[in-house]
Amino acid sequence: MEWINNQSPILLAFLATLITWGLTALGASMVFFFKTINKRMLNVMLGFASGVMIAASFWSLLAPAIEMAEGKSIPSFLVAAIGFLGGAAFLWIADKIIPHIHFAARKGESEGINTRLRRSILLVFSITLHNIPEGLAVGVAFGAAANGMDGVTVVSAMAVAIGIGLQNFPEGAAVSIPLRGEGLSRKKSFLYGQASGIVEPIAGVIGAALVTSIQAILPYALAFAAGAMIYVVVEELIPEAQSGDHNSTDIATLGCIIGFTIMMMLDVGLG
């Protein structure tokens, strides 16, 4: 633990997001054992990911942002609101520009700018898009810990990384197995599935570097990551998890509750 406390937050963010990427790859490796994924299981995975991201957005990001902004010239709730709306706006713009599709999209349906890219690539782009705020969340958390921010420690930053890693495992499987079902080889399905997590170390390093070099933006950065994560949950994960019959949606809701509970316990317990 002493070694960890003595390391650069940028290095710690990089190492932590390498692990979250590795868990995405581990989940993607499930394609070597399964060719198809049950719709109910996919809904549970997406619901679980939603719960983890919602809990992390509050306990790991928004609450610390509000606490850090207290006593400043700008009201703390306004700082959090500006950052939160900025994060949501960033993902909204990216959603309109980057070509991608959702899991349940019909053939020919896509979002973002018009493109002739294959459906498999568009699906990977979709997951890559919402891995950006996940990497940012880890990086900003380690940056906040390095700045000695009250309520944020290296251990709590590690809890953020663990929570995101937990939901990255089923997410990796939720990408690679459908790709296999569309006719790609197991090797290509795995490579595409794990590739969706590459952006996390990049975003993690950027987040940690920014908040350690410009401390004034820290509360805004925390709230920004929260807004981006909530945008992904509401715009993509929950609608996808709630598609299907009544039993599937019930299971997805249960997955969300479990994911939320696990992340809450990690964050509060380790924080």
Side-chain angles (χ1 to χ4, degrees), residues 14 31 35 56 67 70 72 76-77 82 106 108 111 118 126 152 157 161 164 172 176 186 190 196 203 229 233:
F14 178 67
V31 74
K35 184 175 181 179
E67 183 177 348
E70 289 178 350
K72 307 295 184 182
S76 58
F77 66 85
I82 292 171
R106 298 185 182 90
E111 297 183 20
R118 290 181 355 189
S126 176
V152 182
I164 289 176
S176 64
R186 294 184 189 275
F190 167 74
S196 66
M229 288 176 68
V233 170

Side-chain angles (χ1 to χ4, degrees), residues 52-78:
V52 169
M53 292 176 71
I54 292 170
S57 295
F58 177 73
W59 272 283
S60 303
L61 301 170
L62 268 182
I66 293 171
E67 183 177 348
M68 184 178 189
E70 289 178 350
K72 307 295 184 182
S73 58
I74 301 177
S76 58
F77 66 85
L78 187 57

Side-chain angles (χ1 to χ4, degrees), residues 196-210:
S196 66
I198 291 177
V199 71
E200 288 194 6
I202 299 172
V205 168
I206 292 173
L210 281 175

Side-chain angles (χ1 to χ4, degrees), residues 143-212:
N147 285 332
M149 179 178 169
D150 291 339
V152 182
T153 64
V154 171
V155 175
S156 64
M158 290 170 62
V160 177
I162 292 170
I164 289 176
L166 285 175
Q167 62 96 28
N168 275 0
F169 177 83
E171 200 171 75
V175 177
S176 64
I177 296 176
L179 291 179
R180 173 61 176 160
E182 291 187 8
L184 272 70
S185 67
R186 294 184 189 275
K187 183 178 179 181
K188 281 190 175 181
S189 298
F190 167 74
L191 290 175
Y192 286 168
Q194 63 82 33
S196 66
I198 291 177
V199 71
E200 288 194 6
I202 299 172
V205 168
I206 292 173
L210 281 175
V211 300
T212 52

